[in-house]
Amino acid sequence: MSANAATPREHLAHQLAEAVAEALRTDLTRQARALLVVSGGSTPVPFFAALAHQELAWDRVDITLADERWVAEDATDSNARLVREHLLVGKAQQARFIPLTTGHSTPEEGVEEVAGRLEQLTWPASVVILGMGGDGHTASLFPDSRELSLALATDATVVAVRTPSQPQARITLSAERLHHALRHVLHISGDDKRTVLGRAMSGDDVRELPIRAFLSCPLAIYWAP
Ligand SMILES: O=C(O)[C@H](O)[C@@H](O)[C@H](O)[C@H](O)COP(=O)(O)O
């Protein structure tokens, strides 16, 4: 346990940061660059803070997102902003960040440019870290996304999604692209999410709880109360 991990969630964040840093170090011994795919939302903030201070060859690491809201990069709900403020600091500021938005006004217009950027990176990713919402969504694969079937089935890299339950248009890595990693992690906290994960594990309908698309990756579950 890290000496400064005050709460179970902070302790978990430190454990995850150590595991992710070790995975990146391992992959960098045999390849020139390594790719880390992170999620947005509130859960990753202490993990980002812990990871940013890990010793590794950050100048050989690429970081991108599992998904993004189609908002300006400085908007308060931008995942890019979250990454810049909490992860691309300290030692990790030498990493290269690849955002999922463009200057286009819609994700449908920007999707091709973003796919082009992502295809330049080193796949499979070293680690894909997923979050999960109370509705069983992960990345921007929401149960009510109009493009859910497409995003679950396509071999395209990214998909523009419109989701009635969400205020913003979004862009998400497709399920296939999210699968394209050496390691998968689900980082969640709280009893509500534990209950949702339990439901997800006891059924098969991916459209009902899209996190099910990743349960057999295999998926390392990092959970704290
Ligand atoms: O919000 C995002 O950017 C991600 O799209 C989303 O998949 C996130 O990982 C979950 O919604 C969990 O979010 P919390 O960590 O805020 O609960």
Side-chain angles (χ1 to χ4, degrees):
M1 183 192 295
S2 172
N4 59 1
T7 67
R9 292 184 188 191
E10 285 167 354
H11 180 197
L12 184 77
H14 278 82
Q15 284 185 323
L16 178 55
E18 281 167 17
V20 168
E22 192 51 36
L24 291 168
R25 282 186 211 108
T26 300
D27 293 349
L28 287 169
T29 63
R30 54 175 181 247
Q31 56 194 60
R33 300 194 68 79
L35 173 62
L36 173 64
V37 180
V38 297
S39 289
S42 54
T43 308
V45 171
F47 158 66
F48 289 164
L51 184 61
H53 296 290
Q54 291 283 325
E55 271 311 333
L56 62 112
W58 281 110
D59 58 341
R60 293 164 57 206
V61 174
D62 295 320
I63 300 174
T64 195
L65 287 156
D67 69 313
E68 179 64 285
R69 295 163 187 80
W70 202 260
V71 295
E73 268 208 45
D74 59 354
T76 50
D77 52 357
S78 159
N79 283 340
R81 176 173 169 171
L82 188 84
V83 167
R84 289 190 198 284
E85 288 184 353
H86 298 280
L87 178 54
L88 301 179
V89 295
K91 298 186 170 70
Q93 61 189 294
Q94 290 180 63
R96 181 171 60 158
F97 177 60
I98 298 91
L100 299 185
T101 52
T102 67
H104 298 94
S105 53
T106 66
E108 288 78 8
E109 293 167 283
V111 83
E112 197 177 317
E113 183 178 322
V114 176
R117 269 180 218 161
L118 295 181
E119 277 150 22
Q120 308 300 315
L121 304 177
T122 305
W123 299 92
S126 288
V127 193
V128 166
I129 300 162
L130 297 169
M132 184 184 74
D135 59 358
H137 84 263
T138 191
S140 283
L141 308 173
F142 289 84
D144 63 330
S145 294
R146 290 178 201 149
E147 297 79 8
L148 178 61
S149 297
L150 173 68
L152 290 171
T154 184
D155 58 8
T157 310
V158 281
V159 178
V161 293
R162 303 280 170 163
T163 308
S165 63
Q166 300 302 311
Q168 312 92 344
R170 291 176 174 233
I171 186 167
T172 188
L173 269 63
S174 64
E176 181 182 282
R177 186 53 57 159
L178 288 166
H179 279 129
H180 203 26
L182 299 174
R183 308 165 191 84
H184 290 85
V185 170
L186 176 62
H187 183 198
I188 52 173
S189 53
D191 288 337
D192 290 353
K193 290 194 182 177
R194 184 178 65 172
T195 302
V196 175
L197 182 60
R199 275 180 54 216
M201 287 175 144
S202 59
D204 295 321
D205 182 356
V206 173
R207 293 186 52 87
E208 182 195 19
L209 297 171
I211 189 61
R212 285 177 173 147
F214 302 93
L215 291 181
S216 55
C217 276
L219 187 63
I221 294 166
Y222 279 72
W223 175 85

